[in-house]
């Protein structure tokens, strides 16, 4: 998740890449250009940064922030799941590092009309790429009750998912659900009063689930991380900041899968599977924000950083 200022976790994520001045790096989540500016500032002649975002506002803002380093930077408007095609189009075979900072950027959260925030009344949108057809309005007003409940439960990890889905469907029989404010009230109706008084905002998990579905975030991340690992040069690193357990689980499991060695039964006299590890996991436990950072930036409280390094073939 990108913020307007450079956080400690930003710094650690970039430091974890071990930037080579002449290396080639990919920032898959340009956002506010916090990571990109740190990476680009360390590049010299021959060094290159490919910065990807599907948000026009982010790209325009980043162009200004990265102005001193643009000789080293290529901005790309695309979904990061297209990382293989992007690198092919740029005639780049291998990269020295890839970085993901997942979630909604602060500018997107702060633009009420984007519909990401449950703290402002806005049209139900939630698209990171505003040219794509699927919106939160379509999901909330068009998906069957069972699909809505499954979505909210699986992507939002919301235990009252069925009750919330029922409230949504009953309300939309009377009138379309048009705004985030309307949706927040329905979510509150679906959660018992006692549960609403504890924990985070009652709409947080449902909004997360709908946003993930609108942007197909989990599948896109899984595809992009695997593709990025494939394109890493030996010694190259992947640095990933996640903001909820679903993305963190994908990152952790992908790293584990790619770091597996021989999987033959222990009683085999010699290896027959010929399986060799592709990655070395650098962070056995994820790096999390320090207390001082959390005081300055509450949005970072759920952040986890995981780093892995590509092994030689």
């Amino acid at each position: 998740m990108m913020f307007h200022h450079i956080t400690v976790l930003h710094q650690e994520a970039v430091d974890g890449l071990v930037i080579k001045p002449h290396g080639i790096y990919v920032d898959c989540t340009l956002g506010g250009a916090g990571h990109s500016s740190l990476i680009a500032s360390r590049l010299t002649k021959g060094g290159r940064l490919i910065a990807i975002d599907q948000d026009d506002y982010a790209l325009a803002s980043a162009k200004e922030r990265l102005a001193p380093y643009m000789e080293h930077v290529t901005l790309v408007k695309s979904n990061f799941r297209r990382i293989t095609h992007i690198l092919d189009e740029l005639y780049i075979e291998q990269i020295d590092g890839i970085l993901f900072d997942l979630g909604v950027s602060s500018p997107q959260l702060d633009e009420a009309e984007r519909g990401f925030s449950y703290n402002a009344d806005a049209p139900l949108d939630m698209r990171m790429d505003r040219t794509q057809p699927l919106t939160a309005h379509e999901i909330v007003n068009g998906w069957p009750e069972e699909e809505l409940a499954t979505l909210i439960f699986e992507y939002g990890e919301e235990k009252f998912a069925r009750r919330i889905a029922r409230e949504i469907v009953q309300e939309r029989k009377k009138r379309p659900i048009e705004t985030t404010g309307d949706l927040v009230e329905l979510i509150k109706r679906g959660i018992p009063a006692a549960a609403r008084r504890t924990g985070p905002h009652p709409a947080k998990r449902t909004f997360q689930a709908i946003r993930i579905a609108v942007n197909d975030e989990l599948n896109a991340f899984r595809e992009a991380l695997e593709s990025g690992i494939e394109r890493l040069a030996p010694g190259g690193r992947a640095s990933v900041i996640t903001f909820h357990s679903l993305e963190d689980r994908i990152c952790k499991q992908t790293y584990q899968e790619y770091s597996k060695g021989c999987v033959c039964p222990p009683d085999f006299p010699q290896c027959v599977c010929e399986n060799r590890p592709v990655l070395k996991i650098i962070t056995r436990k994820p790096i999390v924000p320090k207390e001082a950072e959390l005081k300055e930036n509450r949005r970072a409280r759920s952040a986890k950083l995981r780093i892995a390094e590509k092994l030689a073939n």
Side-chain angles (χ1 to χ4, degrees), residues 42-78:
R42 301 181 189 184
L43 299 178
T44 58
K45 189 175 181 181
R48 191 171 183 187
L49 170 67
I50 317 302
I52 304 168
D53 207 293
Q54 53 190 347
D55 188 300
D56 289 312
Y57 175 85
L59 289 162
S61 299
K63 195 169 185 179
E64 292 182 25
R65 184 167 186 177
L66 296 171
Y69 318 113
M70 282 307 293
E71 63 180 305
H72 304 300
V73 178
T74 302
L75 298 177
V76 179
K77 183 186 178 183
S78 187

Side-chain angles (χ1 to χ4, degrees), residues 287-305:
I287 299 170
V288 297
K290 308 293 188 294
E291 195 63 37
E293 182 170 354
L294 292 176
K295 286 179 182 176
E296 288 186 23
N297 181 11
R298 289 187 66 255
R299 288 178 183 173
R301 65 188 177 276
S302 57
K304 291 181 179 179
L305 167 63

Side-chain angles (χ1 to χ4, degrees), residues 266-279:
D267 57 346
F268 273 33
Q270 65 182 48
C271 175
V272 295
C273 72
E274 298 184 349
N275 196 54
R276 298 290 179 268
V278 174
L279 291 178

Side-chain angles (χ1 to χ4, degrees), residues 10 72 94 151 177 188 197 219 252 260 274 279:
H10 271 129
H72 304 300
Q94 290 189 320
L151 165 66
I177 300 161
K188 287 179 178 178
R197 287 193 288 267
N219 290 325
K252 180 180 178 180
K260 275 184 184 175
E274 298 184 349
L279 291 178

Side-chain angles (χ1 to χ4, degrees), residues 7-250:
T7 69
V8 176
L9 212 62
H10 271 129
Q11 190 79 48
E12 293 191 44
V14 173
D15 289 346
L17 291 177
V18 190
I19 304 295
K20 301 173 185 174
H22 307 293
I24 301 175
Y25 297 87
V26 178
D27 183 352
C28 284
T29 44
L30 172 63
H35 290 112
S36 283
S37 60
L38 283 175
I39 295 169
S41 68
R42 301 181 189 184
L43 299 178
T44 58
K45 189 175 181 181
R48 191 171 183 187
L49 170 67
I50 317 302
I52 304 168
D53 207 293
Q54 53 190 347
D55 188 300
D56 289 312
Y57 175 85
L59 289 162
S61 299
K63 195 169 185 179
E64 292 182 25
R65 184 167 186 177
L66 296 171
Y69 318 113
M70 282 307 293
E71 63 180 305
H72 304 300
V73 178
T74 302
L75 298 177
V76 179
K77 183 186 178 183
S78 187
N79 188 302
F80 57 49
R81 75 194 313 163
R82 294 188 66 255
I83 180 66
T84 298
H85 302 287
I86 292 167
L87 293 176
D88 286 346
E89 288 164 4
L90 295 171
Y91 303 101
I92 295 171
E93 288 187 17
Q94 290 189 320
I95 56 178
D96 296 291
I98 187 166
L99 185 144
F100 295 86
D101 186 5
L102 302 171
V104 186
S105 70
S106 281
Q108 288 170 335
L109 283 172
D110 297 336
E111 282 184 83
E113 70 272 14
R114 301 294 294 273
F116 288 108
S117 175
Y118 39 77
N119 292 316
D121 197 24
L124 280 169
D125 193 326
M126 299 194 195
R127 293 174 296 173
M128 292 183 184
D129 177 359
R130 301 181 88 171
T131 65
Q132 75 171 44
L134 182 62
T135 66
H137 186 279
E138 182 176 331
I139 290 174
V140 170
N141 288 282
W143 283 24
E145 182 176 335
E146 188 65 31
E147 287 184 30
L148 272 176
T150 300
L151 165 66
I152 296 167
F153 179 74
E154 291 186 355
Y155 286 1
E157 300 178 299
E158 172 59 76
K159 62 182 178 180
F160 299 109
R162 289 195 176 279
R163 293 174 57 147
I164 292 168
R166 191 178 309 121
E167 290 290 344
I168 290 171
V169 170
Q170 287 176 351
E171 182 66 20
R172 75 190 192 195
K173 287 176 182 175
K174 307 172 197 172
R175 62 181 181 87
I177 300 161
E178 300 289 357
T179 71
T180 53
D182 293 339
L183 181 57
V184 168
E185 290 308 310
L186 293 170
I187 294 167
K188 287 179 178 178
R189 270 194 236 164
I191 299 176
R196 291 201 305 269
R197 287 193 288 267
T198 60
H201 191 288
K204 178 181 179 180
R205 289 179 289 269
T206 299
F207 269 61
Q208 171 186 295
I210 295 170
R211 190 203 76 221
I212 287 172
V214 167
N215 299 288
D216 195 24
E217 292 176 29
L218 299 182
N219 290 325
F221 171 51
R222 184 182 288 105
E223 291 172 23
L225 182 58
E226 291 179 354
S227 298
I229 290 168
E230 295 296 332
R231 299 301 279 263
L232 282 174
R237 289 188 171 193
S239 188
V240 179
I241 299 176
T242 60
F243 284 83
H244 59 74
S245 60
L246 300 173
E247 290 168 337
D248 183 59
R249 193 176 304 134
I250 290 171

